Amino acid sequence: MTVKKAIIPAAGLGTRMLPATKTIPKEMLPIADRPSIQYIVEEAIAAGIEDILIITNRSKAALEDYFDYHPELEERLARAGRDADVKLVRSTADMANISFVRQKETKGLGHAVWTARHFVGNEPFAVLLGDDVITGERPVIGQLKEIADREDAPVVGVQAVSLDAIGRYCSLDVEKVADRVFSVRDLIEKPKPHEVYSPYAILGRYVLTPDIFPILENLSPGYGGEIQLTDALAKLASQRQMLAVEFEGRRFDTGSLEGYLECVIELSLRNPRCGSWLAEYLKNRAKTL
Ligand code: UTP
């Protein structure tokens, strides 16, 4: 299978980052010099994805504006001779074919994915969660695409998390089939300690096939009263081969305060605009802690 489309669910309410996210979408919070959503779009593009659909809601129009032109600002910058800044401002509108759809009710991630069905049509597609920034040598969604292309099967991106943390994720029942590749037998969302299958949890990246849509359409609400993508994946895994890839990369949960701050520090240290300044600042600051 060849994956050319990606969806980015970004319609969650972001209640873990209040009060900042009362009016600013969490995907627009800056990580160094750009909003976190831009890193996710860049990951998809680096993996050869051509068309991207971002799933938003009525309070996230800032996302649409960010990937559009801004004629007034561009004109002002051009008049001031700031040509590099004109290019910078326009670049986010030209980076990919990006479109938007609104999830009209916050009914869960599974429901958000279902709202993308018309965009996806009958093709395999990538899913990159809007609040998981993942860095690595190779784009993580590309690592999943590679296996999906080769094995012609849906693939989820996993890493082992601590047993203390697994209750906040989903847990996968897996069997190893190759280096870093597993066959998925079952999954459970937010397991209680006695329900944990393994430390492997899905961390924000998927390559799915359109047969997930009829499953989502008929799914009853699960954990938290929401339509859970995990429940649909469990059903899919019972019907066809599904694989998990233990991806190489570092994942930041930018929807939590700690994950967001770690991400800001790590990616700012790597940013040529502010990296060496920040390293120096942190070294000096650490002496006084
Ligand atoms: P999260 O549970 O991490 O995000 O959803 P949230 O609901 O915004 O977070 P909190 O817990 O209130 O802080 C995982 C992903 O699913 C998307 C979110 O935007 C995030 O990318 N999502 C969740 C939707 O798009 N729609 C929903 O109805 C729920």
Side-chain angles (χ1 to χ4, degrees):
M1 65 170 76
T2 311
V3 182
K4 287 184 286 188
K5 292 180 176 175
I7 68 170
I8 303 180
L13 296 178
T15 58
R16 285 169 296 157
M17 292 289 274
L18 286 168
T21 49
K22 181 178 170 189
T23 52
I24 302 170
K26 61 180 163 180
E27 299 78 11
M28 288 304 296
L29 294 175
I31 310 284
D33 59 353
R34 65 201 67 183
S36 60
I37 186 88
Q38 188 167 338
Y39 293 92
I40 294 166
V41 169
E42 286 169 352
E43 180 190 330
I45 294 168
I49 303 275
E50 293 162 6
D51 297 305
I52 298 172
L53 178 78
I54 302 180
I55 300 160
T56 64
N57 64 30
R58 68 186 66 80
S59 59
K60 297 211 173 184
L63 283 162
E64 298 176 42
D65 295 342
Y66 187 72
F67 292 104
D68 194 0
Y69 293 139
H70 192 324
E72 196 188 347
L73 175 62
E74 290 164 28
E75 201 183 305
R76 172 74 66 93
L77 292 168
R79 261 193 279 131
R82 294 171 60 179
D83 295 342
D85 284 333
V86 174
K87 263 197 185 155
L88 191 64
V89 166
R90 280 185 85 84
S91 65
T92 62
D94 291 331
M95 57 200 303
N97 302 323
I98 302 180
S99 45
F100 298 86
V101 66
R102 282 187 181 183
Q103 184 188 14
K104 296 193 185 85
E105 291 173 277
T106 314
K107 286 185 173 176
L109 175 59
H111 181 259
V113 170
W114 181 75
T115 63
R117 65 199 178 285
H118 299 302
F119 166 82
V120 166
N122 203 23
E123 291 180 45
F125 63 105
V127 181
L128 299 90
L129 296 194
D131 55 7
D132 281 313
V133 172
I134 311 183
T135 62
E137 295 278 304
R138 294 184 300 142
V140 170
I141 200 66
Q143 298 174 37
L144 271 62
K145 258 180 84 205
E146 228 175 84
I147 304 295
D149 286 353
R150 200 176 71 206
E151 303 296 331
D152 204 29
V155 176
V156 295
V158 302
Q159 281 190 337
V161 303
S162 73
L163 285 176
D164 287 344
I166 192 91
R168 297 200 301 273
Y169 298 88
C170 66
S171 172
L172 276 74
D173 179 9
V174 289
E175 186 185 344
K176 190 168 180 168
V177 291
D179 185 33
R180 307 186 86 91
V181 183
F182 304 84
S183 169
V184 180
R185 284 189 290 243
D186 198 9
L187 313 81
I188 181 164
E189 182 67 23
K190 311 254 180 337
K192 298 192 180 77
H194 68 277
E195 294 171 328
V196 172
Y197 283 129
S198 77
Y200 288 106
I202 302 177
L203 298 181
R205 298 293 182 268
Y206 315 71
V207 170
L208 300 179
T209 43
D211 46 358
I212 195 79
F213 292 118
I215 298 177
L216 285 169
E217 177 123 26
N218 294 307
L219 207 61
S220 310
Y223 183 89
E226 297 193 333
I227 305 289
Q228 295 290 350
L229 182 60
T230 304
D231 295 344
L233 292 174
K235 189 112 202 264
L236 192 65
S238 73
Q239 293 174 1
R240 65 175 294 172
Q241 186 196 26
M242 183 190 296
L243 297 170
V245 171
E246 188 178 6
F247 62 79
E248 292 174 67
R250 173 152 181 207
R251 174 251 185 190
F252 300 95
D253 174 8
T254 51
S256 73
L257 185 58
E258 295 78 6
Y260 171 72
L261 292 175
E262 268 183 30
C263 191
V264 168
I265 293 168
E266 284 301 329
L267 298 197
S268 299
L269 283 170
R270 296 180 209 174
N271 188 304
R273 256 168 103 170
C274 56
S276 32
W277 169 83
L278 181 62
E280 201 54 35
Y281 175 79
L282 290 177
K283 263 189 247 157
N284 289 329
R285 185 69 180 84
K287 288 180 200 153
T288 66
L289 290 178

